Amino acid sequence: MSVTLASTTTNNSTTTSRLPSPAPIDHDDDEVTPLQPPTSSLPCGLRPQKSISITLTGPSIFTVSATLLLSIHYLGSRLTECLVLVAPLVVLLRNDYENFLNLGPGGTPSTVYGYLQISWWRLWALRDPFTAPVVLSSSQIGGILQKQGLPYRSGPRPIVAGIAPQRQLDQHGSRHSYQMLRRAMVKLGTRSPLRFGTERSCVEKHGLALFAKYALRTNCQGEIVHVHDSDHSMHMCLHPDDIKVVLSKGWGQRHPLARNGWVLQMPVSPDFVMIYAPRYTTDEQELQIVYRIIEAAIWYTSEEKVSLS
């Protein structure tokens, strides 16, 4: 997700959304692999988040003590106090920056400048991503997921980190489900080329996205949903009623910046949510449920009811 280029547009009048310039898409992922049990390894592009831990052995304790004594003797107590205060801050910043890089590519560049951007937006992030937003639209039409009886997602929620990019750190979706999801999006664009299309994400700048050519509500050029290549999770916009259902049933969470800004205009709209990657199941039940959530996003963006399954 980009925090610099994505524009937020939410209105009730029909607008023609021009698809972004074509970008190369890796079609190797469109070839579906056989269904396989999940593995414990991290997906490509993701690396583990690091925690700070310090182990003091005998020699290290002696070295630290000697360094402090010499610093006080030669540099003075004031300067030594400043060094003692600054040293852990440097360690914390370095660890935080490495964790930002470990989330992989996203809309924000993996550079020091990108890290500074995210550090700024972190000050305005949601404190509770599991509480549904207030009504965001004057429309009297309710959501569609509650009528469908969306089941609860089994097990605990995955651990999620980051703002841009925002990624799952565990419970990654199966590659089979990811490929089926890509194929369903491409198939919809091929079946209805005058209404839908697929290109590289306008919001994320990475990964495949589904676009509506006549969008009523969109964050960027009619984008409906994009799927992440690394952890296979998704971002999309949903009706406030559908967001409430998704949150209560455990299928996703709000994006950290999906809020109304009183001072700043947030880079994404308050109806922007993350949907967890469909996990391995022999009957593909989670994949079918994710299809239904994406269908709700399509309906919310373009007010068209379609079927992905």
Side-chain angles (χ1 to χ4, degrees), residues 137-153:
S137 173
S138 59
S139 174
Q140 300 299 319
I141 302 176
I144 64 175
L145 289 179
Q146 190 168 7
K147 302 175 183 178
Q148 299 179 9
L150 202 70
Y152 284 93
R153 181 180 183 272

Side-chain angles (χ1 to χ4, degrees), residues 92-106:
L92 287 172
L93 287 174
R94 178 181 178 182
N95 183 78
D96 194 47
Y97 177 66
E98 289 181 351
N99 284 337
F100 165 70
L101 297 179
N102 289 343
L103 291 175

Side-chain angles (χ1 to χ4, degrees), residues 80-157:
T80 302
E81 290 173 358
C82 293
L83 292 176
V84 171
L85 179 63
V86 169
L89 293 178
V90 172
V91 174
L92 287 172
L93 287 174
R94 178 181 178 182
N95 183 78
D96 194 47
Y97 177 66
E98 289 181 351
N99 284 337
F100 165 70
L101 297 179
N102 289 343
L103 291 175
T108 305
S110 299
T111 60
V112 174
Y113 176 69
Y115 173 72
L116 293 176
Q117 283 185 294
I118 295 304
S119 299
W120 162 251
W121 286 112
R122 191 183 296 169
L123 300 175
W124 310 95
L126 287 172
R127 298 295 177 248
D128 181 11
F130 305 113
T131 300
V134 296
V135 177
L136 307 175
S137 173
S138 59
S139 174
Q140 300 299 319
I141 302 176
I144 64 175
L145 289 179
Q146 190 168 7
K147 302 175 183 178
Q148 299 179 9
L150 202 70
Y152 284 93
R153 181 180 183 272
S154 62
R157 294 178 183 270

Side-chain angles (χ1 to χ4, degrees), residues 17-304:
S17 299
R18 182 172 57 85
L19 293 182
S21 301
I25 299 176
D26 184 9
H27 290 285
D28 293 339
D29 286 325
D30 295 335
E31 183 179 350
V32 180
T33 58
L35 194 62
Q36 297 177 349
T39 61
S40 58
S41 60
L42 287 174
C44 179
L46 279 179
R47 286 175 288 180
Q49 297 287 284
K50 299 179 180 179
S51 58
I52 296 179
S53 61
I54 300 176
T55 302
L56 292 179
T57 61
S60 62
I61 293 176
F62 174 80
T63 302
V64 171
S65 301
T67 301
L68 288 175
L69 290 174
L70 292 174
S71 298
I72 294 173
H73 181 75
Y74 290 104
L75 301 178
S77 59
R78 291 294 179 86
L79 185 55
T80 302
E81 290 173 358
C82 293
L83 292 176
V84 171
L85 179 63
V86 169
L89 293 178
V90 172
V91 174
L92 287 172
L93 287 174
R94 178 181 178 182
N95 183 78
D96 194 47
Y97 177 66
E98 289 181 351
N99 284 337
F100 165 70
L101 297 179
N102 289 343
L103 291 175
T108 305
S110 299
T111 60
V112 174
Y113 176 69
Y115 173 72
L116 293 176
Q117 283 185 294
I118 295 304
S119 299
W120 162 251
W121 286 112
R122 191 183 296 169
L123 300 175
W124 310 95
L126 287 172
R127 298 295 177 248
D128 181 11
F130 305 113
T131 300
V134 296
V135 177
L136 307 175
S137 173
S138 59
S139 174
Q140 300 299 319
I141 302 176
I144 64 175
L145 289 179
Q146 190 168 7
K147 302 175 183 178
Q148 299 179 9
L150 202 70
Y152 284 93
R153 181 180 183 272
S154 62
R157 294 178 183 270
I159 300 174
V160 176
I163 293 179
Q166 181 191 31
R167 296 291 185 266
Q168 283 183 221
L169 301 182
D170 61 355
Q171 301 184 35
H172 305 108
S174 68
R175 184 164 182 80
H176 174 84
S177 297
Y178 165 69
Q179 292 169 331
M180 291 294 292
L181 183 59
R182 285 177 57 99
R183 174 168 289 188
M185 293 164 60
V186 173
K187 185 177 179 181
L188 177 61
T190 303
R191 188 171 68 238
S192 305
L194 298 180
R195 296 182 296 163
F196 303 102
T198 53
E199 288 290 349
R200 179 167 296 177
S201 172
C202 171
V203 177
E204 181 78 19
K205 305 299 184 294
H206 296 271
L208 184 69
L210 178 66
F211 292 84
K213 295 190 177 181
Y214 301 96
L216 300 178
R217 307 167 188 88
T218 178
N219 271 297
C220 188
Q221 299 186 19
E223 181 171 323
I224 299 171
V225 55
H226 64 256
V227 57
H228 306 130
D229 297 331
S230 56
D231 64 341
H232 308 157
S233 64
M234 292 142 279
H235 280 121
M236 64 188 73
C237 291
L238 291 172
H239 189 282
D241 292 345
D242 290 336
I243 294 177
K244 185 176 181 180
V245 174
V246 166
L247 296 180
S248 63
K249 298 300 179 67
W251 291 101
Q253 63 187 67
R254 297 173 66 187
H255 188 273
L257 300 181
R259 56 179 299 178
N260 289 311
W262 296 100
V263 179
L264 298 175
Q265 180 179 359
M266 307 307 287
V268 295
S269 56
D271 49 12
F272 197 63
V273 296
M274 178 188 200
I275 302 300
Y276 305 139
R279 295 170 296 183
Y280 165 81
T281 54
T282 55
D283 57 358
E284 298 183 352
Q285 180 184 13
E286 290 203 0
L287 177 62
Q288 296 301 320
I289 293 172
V290 169
Y291 280 164
R292 289 160 60 183
I293 297 175
I294 295 177
E295 290 166 5
I298 295 173
W299 169 82
Y300 180 62
T301 302
S302 62
E303 292 192 0
E304 293 195 49

